[in-house]
Amino acid sequence: QAPQLWQAVLSELRRTLPANHFRYYIATAEIVSLEDDVATIAATSPVNRKTLETRFGRQVEQTLFVLKASRPS
């Protein structure tokens, strides 16, 4: 379920973020796990991790929440 959900998140964020931000920070990240509504996302570097958390974390979190809620369990 997590990989399919992450692909849906990527599709949504690709439409809403500037292309260079999406390509550099989001598209290179991967979902590692999704347990008890907690997603663990791996970034390609410490700088990308920090930027993903501080700059895009809320948007990623909200997108995950909305898409997960709209999917059947």
Side-chain angles (χ1 to χ4, degrees):
Q1 177 189 8
Q4 295 86 4
L5 179 59
W6 185 244
Q7 288 306 309
V9 169
L10 292 177
S11 294
E12 180 65 25
L13 294 175
R14 183 180 292 116
R15 294 183 318 108
T16 59
L17 292 174
N20 59 331
H21 291 163
F22 175 82
R23 189 172 47 252
Y24 189 73
Y25 298 108
I26 308 296
T28 59
E30 296 180 3
I31 194 162
V32 175
S33 67
L34 179 62
E35 296 179 24
D36 300 325
D37 292 334
V38 175
T40 302
I41 299 170
T44 56
S45 73
V47 171
N48 280 21
R49 181 189 60 79
K50 187 68 171 172
T51 303
L52 189 58
E53 285 178 359
T54 59
R55 192 165 182 186
F56 303 109
R58 182 168 296 240
Q59 191 169 2
V60 170
E61 183 179 320
Q62 288 174 342
T63 304
L64 269 166
F65 177 79
V66 168
L67 292 175
K68 187 173 185 301
S70 69
R71 291 177 172 252
S73 298

